[in-house]
Amino acid sequence: MMYDNQPGPSQVQHPLEVLAEIERREAVGQELLVRDSGAPWAELLAEYVDALNELATPGTASTGFIAAYGLDEGHAGGCG
């Protein structure tokens, strides 16, 4: 037969696999940019966290108390 030498159906990559590969490549690229930038990332992150803490707990400097929020046996406040 003349169709015996035809190659099988081509493999098409699933669209979600294509998107996952693009995301992975972008993440690697971003990591390289961050690493190679020479910025003091640990110090910047610490300053950022300190600034967020100040915004999250206003007034603690004047009272000396720090608001502490936690989970109650794995449940956030307001359950039941």
Side-chain angles (χ1 to χ4, degrees), residues 19-47:
L19 292 175
E21 177 61 23
I22 291 170
E23 182 179 12
R24 186 194 65 75
R25 280 189 301 216
E26 287 300 312
V28 168
Q30 289 176 3
E31 288 175 22
L32 291 174
L33 287 173
V34 167
R35 185 192 69 201
D36 295 342
S37 71
W41 292 108
E43 293 173 29
L44 291 172
L45 182 59
E47 289 179 25

Side-chain angles (χ1 to χ4, degrees), residues 2 8 10 17 20 42 44:
M2 136 157 108
S10 63
E17 291 175 358
L44 291 172

Side-chain angles (χ1 to χ4, degrees), residues 44-68:
L44 291 172
L45 182 59
E47 289 179 25
Y48 181 74
V49 169
D50 288 342
L52 286 178
N53 283 333
E54 288 177 22
L55 290 172
T57 55
T60 57
S62 63
T63 63
F65 295 105
I66 296 176

